Structures are given as structure tokens and as C-alpha cells.
């Protein structure tokens, strides 16, 4: 049976966010300054995705959507830079918790700029998830990391803005603007980076990040906005809150607090219930209106 629009978008966003959840771990493993990571990650993303865009003759899409494509590329470059700087100035758990506010920004921007109604179940899921995230802030580690926390909050706002932009202009080619965002972030970081001072191991980590992990995650997440409302796509960034914390805990010993574990568990449970409810409603809709897509 052919997958519905909702199912297709759900698979894309889940795979994309799981892949994205390794970002904090890879940044820690790179063991260098934030600007150098931003430079190499952006440049490598531009190289691999730019080559694919050129081979697939995707660059023509920029001519049909020049301003919206540029805006999306700028936001993506900003998100990438802010996330790295946030992780370099705060615990990974703190950063991914603050990024969980992205659904709130997406809901706000979608309502203001698109006039898009937010499903009641999505609002409930956001509210409960934010309560779960509140548990994280009750633990240790929130003090003394103001700069990192502010970087993360700005990144969350940029994520919500970009998802809303992609929802408004579905003709934007995600791969092309991600490549452009990588180039822009590398250009911004270059004056402050030290790109030629690393050893082979750290270059290897940056290569995995820039050539595989980030391009794959970002393309999947941005493509999901063609099938799901931006608010629902942003909601799944909350998965990174739990998984991103778990990777650095298990592999690097960056231990989260008990409240972080409880809050992350609440987030995962809510997302599972939210996705199940969405699939159930989609099946009901297909029975009543077969062949008519709900998201375009």
C-alpha cells in the first residue's frame, strides 16, 4: 500500500531528527573551537550538496524562488552556527532542551504569517513537552551558561522561522538552500576559524559531520515540510532533546541530571502518542476522502 502524505512526512522527520541528534556528540569529538567546526561543517556540506545539486540540475530552482531561497539559506547558516556556538558554551543537555522551544516559534510564525490553524493535539503535545523540559531546568548546570543558552534560544527561533518559510514556499528546493546555508556559515566563520591546525582524527570527525550526518539530517527534515505542517515538524526536534543527551552521556560520560532523564522520557512518550494519533486521524481521513491529500 502506498504511503500517505502524513506517513511519508513522518518517516522523513523521524529519520532526520534521529540523525541530527548525533550533532552534539560529533561536536564534542571534534575537540576544537566552535568557529573552526562551523567553517568545516559548512564548507563540507556545501561541497557534497552543491555537487549533487549541480549533477541533478537543481540550481535552476533558485531562479524561480530567489528571495525565499536566499532567506532560507541565511536561516540555515545561522542555525548551524548558533548550534555549534551553543554547544561550545553550554552542556549538550541544556542546548537541546532550549531547542525544544522550536515548535512554539513555528506555531507562532505559522499563525502570524501563514494564518495556519494549529491542531489542538499539537498544542497539547507542545504544552506537555514544555512541562517535561521544565523538569530539565530544575537540575544542575543551568547557571553560568548564559551565552550558550542564548545562542540555543536564537537557534530555536531560526528553526521555527525556516520551517515556516519552507511551508509557505514548498517550491524551494531543500538541498539547494542547505548547500547555500553551508557556504554562508563557512564564510562567516572563516575570519575567526583555524581550519588548518587539526590532526587526522579530528578532520575525520568533521568529515562525517559535514559530508554525511548534517546534509542527510537537514535534507530529510526540510523535505518533511512538504507533507506536514511546520509546527508538527518542529515538534519532532524534541526527540533530539532526549537522544542528543543520551549519546554524550553513554559515550563521553557527560552525565545528565535525574530531572533531565525524567523530562526526556516525558518528551518521547508524548511524541509517540502524538504520532500515533496523527496516523489514526490520517487513516480515518483516507477512508472518508480517498485520494485527496490533506497536506500540500
Amino acid at each position: 500500500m502506498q504511503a500517505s502524505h502524513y506517513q511519508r512526512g513522518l518517516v522523513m522527520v523521524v529519520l532526520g531528527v534521529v540523525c541530527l541528534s548525533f550533532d552534539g556528540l560529533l561536536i564534542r569529538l571534534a575537540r576544537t573551537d566552535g568557529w573552526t567546526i562551523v567553517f568545516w561543517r559548512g564548507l563540507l556540506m556545501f561541497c557534497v550538496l552543491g555537487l549533487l545539486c549541480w549533477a541533478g540540475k537543481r540550481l535552476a530552482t533558485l531562479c524561480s524562488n530567489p528571495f525565499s531561497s536566499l532567506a532560507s539559506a541565511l536561516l540555515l547558516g545561522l542555525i548551524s552556527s548558533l548550534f555549534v556556538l551553543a554547544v561550545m558554551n553550554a552542556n549538550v543537555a541544556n542546548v537541546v532542551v532550549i531547542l525544544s522551544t522550536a515548535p512554539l516559534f513555528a506555531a507562532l510564525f505559522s499563525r502570524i504569517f501563514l494564518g495556519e490553524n494549529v491542531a489542538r493535539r499539537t498544542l497539547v503535545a507542545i504544552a506537555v513537552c514544555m512541562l517535561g523540559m521544565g523538569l530539565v531546568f530544575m537540575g544542575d548546570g543551568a547557571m553560568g551558561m548564559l551565552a550558550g543558552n542564548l545562542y540555543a534560544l536564537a537557534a530555536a527561533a531560526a528553526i521555527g522561522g525556516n520551517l515556516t518559510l519552507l511551508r509557505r514556499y514548498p517550491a524551494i528546493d531543500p538541498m539547494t538552500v542547505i548547500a547555500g546555508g553551508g557556504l554562508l556559515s563557512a564564510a562567516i566563520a572563516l575570519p575567526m576559524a583555524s581550519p588548518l591546525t587539526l590532526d587526522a582524527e579530528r578532520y575525520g570527525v568533521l568529515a562525517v559531520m559535514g559530508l554525511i550526518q548534517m546534509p542527510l539530517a537537514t535534507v530529510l527534515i526540510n523535505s518533511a515540510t512538504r507533507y506536514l505542517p511546520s509546527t508538527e515538524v518542529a515538534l519532532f526536534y524534541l526527540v533530539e532533546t532526549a537522544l542528543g543527551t543520551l549519546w554524550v552521556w553513554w559515550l563521553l560520560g557527560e552525565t545528565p541530571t535525574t530531572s533531565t532523564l525524567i523530562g526526556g522520557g516525558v518528551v518521547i512518550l508524548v511524541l509517540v502518542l502524538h504520532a500515533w494519533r496523527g496516523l489514526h486521524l490520517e487513516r480515518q481521513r483516507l477512508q472518508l476522502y480517498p485520494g485527496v491529500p490533506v497536506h500540500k
Side-chain angles (χ1 to χ4, degrees), residues 6-285:
Y6 188 89
Q7 290 170 329
R8 201 173 302 166
L10 190 63
V11 170
M12 284 183 176
V13 73
V14 169
L15 291 178
V17 173
V18 170
C19 186
L20 185 66
S21 69
F22 290 96
D23 205 14
L25 174 64
L26 290 172
I27 289 172
R28 285 284 189 264
L29 292 175
R31 293 182 291 111
T32 187
D33 65 278
W35 290 115
T36 299
I37 295 174
V38 171
F39 170 79
W40 277 115
R41 186 165 78 161
L43 182 62
L44 293 173
M45 286 176 63
F46 169 73
C47 289
V48 65
L49 293 179
L51 181 61
L52 291 175
C53 290
W54 177 79
K57 299 181 179 180
R58 292 172 173 260
L59 298 179
T61 60
L62 295 177
C63 298
S64 57
N65 302 279
F67 297 110
S68 55
S69 296
L70 177 60
S72 181
L74 287 171
L75 286 170
L76 287 167
L78 186 63
I79 293 165
S80 179
S81 302
L82 288 171
F83 180 82
V84 173
L85 294 175
V87 171
M88 299 302 296
N89 289 276
N91 291 339
V92 171
N94 277 48
V95 173
V96 294
V97 162
I98 296 170
L99 285 177
S100 71
T101 61
L104 300 181
F105 287 107
L108 177 63
F109 296 151
S110 294
R111 179 62 181 169
I112 294 173
F113 297 111
L114 306 184
E116 192 173 86
N117 292 325
V118 181
R120 183 179 300 175
R121 63 186 174 86
T122 301
L123 291 175
V124 172
I126 290 174
V128 178
C129 284
M130 293 309 297
L131 288 176
M133 292 306 97
L135 294 175
V136 179
F137 280 99
M138 294 171 60
D140 298 329
M143 301 302 295
M145 293 182 283
L146 179 60
N149 291 342
L150 290 176
Y151 284 136
L153 186 62
I159 290 169
N162 186 58
L163 291 174
T164 303
L165 182 66
L166 293 173
R167 181 69 175 171
R168 172 63 179 83
Y169 299 100
I172 294 176
D173 181 60
M175 190 177 296
T176 305
V177 296
I178 293 167
L183 181 61
L184 289 171
S185 63
I188 293 170
L190 180 57
M192 295 158 284
S194 303
L196 303 178
T197 60
L198 308 180
D199 55 33
E201 180 182 348
R202 286 182 282 182
Y203 281 126
V205 173
L206 292 171
V208 171
M209 191 188 308
L211 296 177
I212 302 173
Q213 181 252 345
M214 282 304 298
L216 180 61
T218 315
V219 167
L220 285 169
I221 293 169
N222 287 2
S223 297
T225 59
R226 296 180 178 180
Y227 307 103
L228 299 174
S230 57
T231 303
E232 293 200 26
V233 174
L235 184 64
F236 279 87
Y237 272 89
L238 295 171
V239 172
E240 189 184 11
T241 304
L243 294 183
T245 301
L246 288 176
W247 303 145
V248 295
W249 176 26
W250 287 343
L251 299 176
L252 300 181
E254 192 172 298
T255 307
T257 63
T258 301
S259 57
T260 298
L261 294 176
I262 296 173
V266 170
V267 168
I268 294 299
L269 177 60
V270 170
L271 286 174
V272 169
L273 294 175
H274 180 269
W276 174 83
R277 180 60 177 168
L279 289 171
H280 176 69
L281 292 175
E282 178 71 3
R283 284 194 296 268
Q284 288 184 329
R285 186 195 62 79

